[in-house]
Amino acid sequence: QVQLLESGGGLVQAGDSLRLSCAASGRTFSNYAMGWFRQAPGKEREFVATISRGGSSTNYADSVKGRFTISRDNAKNTVYLQMNSLKPEDTAVYYCAAKTGLASTYGVEYDYWGQGIQVTVSS
């Protein structure tokens, strides 16, 4: 029902910024809470940020709080992750995900996942 496609990743230096975008197909995008997750090499997938269906409520992992901002534009069927002050430890494959109902920090509760996009931060 929903296809997600991430874009905007790449290789940057520590302290730089990136904005990830996740474009969603379907006509019911506004009915889905959205989340960003990431997985670093050799580590488990971890929660990064979530946003409610209307965009009024957000939640962030402690490791990115104050540096990352999640937002969405329901008219464009797109969710964003603005990443500022990037650190080498932010290096990971970043995934956007969608779920019905309320947002969740648990990846297993999400219904749809994007392919993932690489973010590499050099020191």
Side-chain angles (χ1 to χ4, degrees):
Q1 290 183 345
V2 177
Q3 293 180 324
L4 305 173
L5 180 61
E6 302 97 336
S7 63
L11 173 63
V12 298
Q13 295 182 345
D16 286 352
S17 298
L18 278 177
R19 188 182 74 162
L20 303 182
S21 298
C22 178
S25 66
R27 288 179 283 271
T28 58
F29 176 72
S30 62
N31 291 331
Y32 293 89
M34 301 294 296
W36 286 97
F37 297 80
R38 67 187 183 186
Q39 186 169 22
K43 296 187 177 181
E44 298 297 318
R45 183 182 62 197
E46 65 176 351
F47 150 74
V48 176
T50 65
I51 189 166
S52 61
R53 289 165 290 179
S56 61
S57 180
T58 59
N59 193 17
Y60 299 92
D62 289 341
S63 59
V64 307
K65 192 172 298 182
R67 299 188 298 121
F68 290 11
T69 302
I70 187 172
S71 61
R72 67 191 296 163
D73 186 342
N74 287 348
K76 297 175 63 176
N77 279 19
T78 303
V79 63
Y80 305 95
L81 184 68
Q82 178 67 46
M83 304 184 294
N84 297 328
S85 302
L86 283 162
K87 305 174 181 179
E89 49 262 48
D90 295 318
T91 296
V93 176
Y94 284 71
Y95 300 89
C96 66
K99 71 181 297 292
T100 57
L102 300 177
S104 172
T105 62
Y106 298 102
V108 294
E109 297 185 4
Y110 282 76
D111 302 300
Y112 305 99
W113 290 84
Q115 177 182 333
I117 190 165
Q118 180 70 46
V119 172
T120 302
V121 184
S122 63
S123 60

